[in-house]
Amino acid sequence: KAHGGGKRCEQEDCTKSALGRTRYCIAHGGGKRCEHEGCTKSAIGTTRCCAAHGGGKRCEQEGCTKSALGNTGYCAAHGGGKRCEHVGCTKAAQGSTSYCYAHGGGKRCEHEGCTKFAIG
């Protein structure tokens, strides 16, 4: 599939693979969808819902219902996912960066002289 084999998404100008018995990729509505009423997101793995509605792996911390991040078994609040690389920091890294917000990670405002976080 990665090199052009298999069924392709039928959405115009899309080169991704179609999923399962559908004619489209995930981005264009293909594959298994969340069964929660009114939700149009993709179901995760073998579960019947998206992450927001309880699908996928959950945090292993007792009493926590958040999604587990990566292969860690825990949500960001309980040590899961990528961590900030600043010495001594244990917070979660933001986005594709290697640092938490406090140490320069995440998306920043592009206005000249502004160091605040970008929203959206």
Side-chain angles (χ1 to χ4, degrees):
K1 287 184 179 182
H3 298 284
K7 277 191 320 181
R8 291 281 158 224
C9 177
E10 292 185 9
Q11 181 71 31
E12 193 175 328
D13 295 326
C14 184
T15 59
K16 295 178 184 172
S17 295
L19 290 177
R21 295 180 181 157
T22 64
R23 300 179 345 216
Y24 299 97
C25 65
I26 286 180
H28 295 116
K32 211 168 52 161
R33 307 316 276 178
C34 178
E35 292 183 0
H36 193 272
E37 192 175 332
C39 185
T40 58
K41 293 179 183 176
S42 295
I44 299 176
T46 58
T47 62
R48 300 181 328 195
C49 296
C50 67
H53 295 119
K57 286 170 52 175
R58 308 318 278 176
C59 180
E60 294 173 11
Q61 181 72 32
E62 192 175 326
C64 185
T65 59
K66 294 178 183 176
S67 294
L69 298 175
N71 293 326
T72 61
Y74 295 94
C75 68
H78 293 119
K82 194 168 145 189
R83 310 314 285 174
C84 179
E85 291 182 3
H86 190 272
V87 177
C89 184
T90 59
K91 294 179 185 174
Q94 297 300 311
S96 61
T97 67
S98 296
Y99 297 95
C100 68
Y101 285 131
H103 295 117
K107 205 172 180 184
R108 299 292 171 148
C109 177
E110 293 177 358
H111 192 272
E112 192 177 328
C114 185
T115 58
K116 292 184 179 179
F117 309 113
I119 299 173

